[in-house]
Amino acid sequence: MNSPKTLYQITVELRKDQLASRITPWRLLVETNRYYEIKSITGSVKRLYKEKLNTAIQETKHYSDGILAISAFCQEEHIEDIRSHLIEQLDAKINNYLKDLELNKKALCSKLAINSFT
């Protein structure tokens, strides 16, 4: 099976008003029909299932301290496409948070208005 020798993890992080991206190479150790076994320079071996390649993974599950992060593994030729996609995913996540906060604000305002009349 012809496979790349390196996969890359692209991480995009939004920390308050700073957007940063990091590209980390992972050495391919084993490739099977279902998964890759990869290893970062400083880390342990990880099993990456092939269907997860080029798929965004939310690194932060909840918004906290102004930090949101998302990452994906890909081959070298897809780095810029994946990076753009991850930024779009962060934008969509922020928009969802803003919508939820607006709904919460409306509920809070209506509750405060009801309480001021009673």
Side-chain angles (χ1 to χ4, degrees), residues 27-74:
R27 189 167 42 102
L28 179 63
L29 302 174
V30 175
E31 180 180 2
T32 70
N33 288 334
R34 293 191 56 214
Y35 62 84
Y36 302 104
E37 282 190 3
I38 54 179
K39 183 179 186 317
S40 70
I41 295 168
T42 59
S44 59
V45 175
K46 176 181 179 69
R47 182 173 286 177
L48 175 67
Y49 287 90
K50 288 187 174 185
E51 63 266 13
K52 297 294 183 180
L53 192 65
N54 302 322
T55 302
I57 300 167
Q58 298 292 330
E59 297 290 331
T60 49
K61 302 298 179 193
H62 303 285
Y63 184 70
S64 176
D65 298 325
I67 300 170
L68 286 174
I70 189 169
S71 69
F73 284 93
C74 69

Side-chain angles (χ1 to χ4, degrees), residues 34-114:
R34 293 191 56 214
Y35 62 84
Y36 302 104
E37 282 190 3
I38 54 179
K39 183 179 186 317
S40 70
I41 295 168
T42 59
S44 59
V45 175
K46 176 181 179 69
R47 182 173 286 177
L48 175 67
Y49 287 90
K50 288 187 174 185
E51 63 266 13
K52 297 294 183 180
L53 192 65
N54 302 322
T55 302
I57 300 167
Q58 298 292 330
E59 297 290 331
T60 49
K61 302 298 179 193
H62 303 285
Y63 184 70
S64 176
D65 298 325
I67 300 170
L68 286 174
I70 189 169
S71 69
F73 284 93
C74 69
Q75 295 172 344
E76 186 173 14
E77 61 269 13
H78 298 292
I79 289 175
E80 284 308 313
D81 293 336
I82 294 297
R83 184 179 175 281
S84 296
H85 177 69
L86 294 178
I87 292 170
E88 290 170 4
Q89 291 289 314
L90 279 180
D91 186 50
K93 188 154 189 92
I94 290 168
N95 287 333
N96 287 336
Y97 282 141
L98 288 171
K99 287 177 190 173
D100 289 345
L101 288 171
E102 276 298 317
L103 289 173
N104 289 343
K105 180 81 171 170
K106 287 178 185 176
L108 184 60
C109 288
S110 66
K111 181 68 173 171
L112 290 173
I114 291 170

Side-chain angles (χ1 to χ4, degrees), residues 4-25:
K5 296 186 188 291
T6 305
L7 294 176
Y8 296 87
Q9 181 181 25
I10 293 86
T11 303
V12 176
E13 182 178 270
L14 187 60
R15 186 178 296 264
K16 304 226 179 195
D17 65 343
Q18 298 293 316
L19 180 68
S21 61
R22 186 174 60 251
I23 300 170
T24 309

